[in-house]
Amino acid sequence: MLRHLSLGMNLLAIVLFVPGIVLPMFALKSEMGAWFGQGRLTAALVDKELSILQTVQELWQDDRLLVAALIFFFSVAIPVVKTLLVSLAWYWHKLSKGQTLAAWIAAIGKWSMADVFVVAIFLAVLSTDHAETTTTQAVNLFGLRIDFEISSATLSTLGPGFYYFVGYCLLSLAASQLLQFSLARQQGHR
């Protein structure tokens, strides 16, 4: 029964994983404004929503290859491989290789927490929420002093991909732990 529950949780985790890497993980908006007298000028500096896959693609295009590769490896490749291995261990439950595989999955479980680390990185990026700076400047133009303020504001918000990915992380971890427990209990009854 526990083994079947772990398979169901694993399948549900994959269902959450796909939108988790495709839907926007966060939105980042940054604008700059200048005020002088009654006049106001504003300009959007950044206005984008990025998913995990879009982030990897953008980093790759910006020649930040190591960061792109690490995010892809820990947020896409490892979760897919781990899910496939958990499914194989479930299928081979009566064979010694199924139990060996479940033990190996448990051993690499620490590495599977790297996907949670990636989410933590996104949260760190989002910690800039509502960061605002304002400076007052003065310009002397032909003996006329013009005072103006320049400000910039950054607003970041979580996107739906973040919640799907967190759901995937938690379900995947629970499914692999439940499968390991189920197979260990099955082996103990022999």
Side-chain angles (χ1 to χ4, degrees), residues 113-136:
M113 290 305 290
D115 47 10
V116 177
F117 176 70
V118 169
V119 172
I121 290 172
F122 280 114
L123 285 175
V125 168
L126 294 175
S127 69
T128 62
D129 194 20
H130 298 289
E132 189 169 332
T133 60
T134 303
T135 60
T136 303

Side-chain angles (χ1 to χ4, degrees), residues 73-139:
F73 183 73
F74 287 115
S75 296
V76 179
I78 291 286
V80 168
V81 169
K82 181 184 169 198
T83 301
L84 290 173
L85 293 177
V86 167
S87 299
L88 280 174
W90 177 87
Y91 182 72
W92 290 334
H93 74 283
K94 291 187 179 184
L95 303 174
S96 64
K97 62 182 168 182
Q99 293 162 353
T100 304
L101 190 55
W104 188 74
I105 293 167
I108 65 165
K110 294 174 186 120
W111 287 101
S112 72
M113 290 305 290
D115 47 10
V116 177
F117 176 70
V118 169
V119 172
I121 290 172
F122 280 114
L123 285 175
V125 168
L126 294 175
S127 69
T128 62
D129 194 20
H130 298 289
E132 189 169 332
T133 60
T134 303
T135 60
T136 303
Q137 300 290 323
V139 173

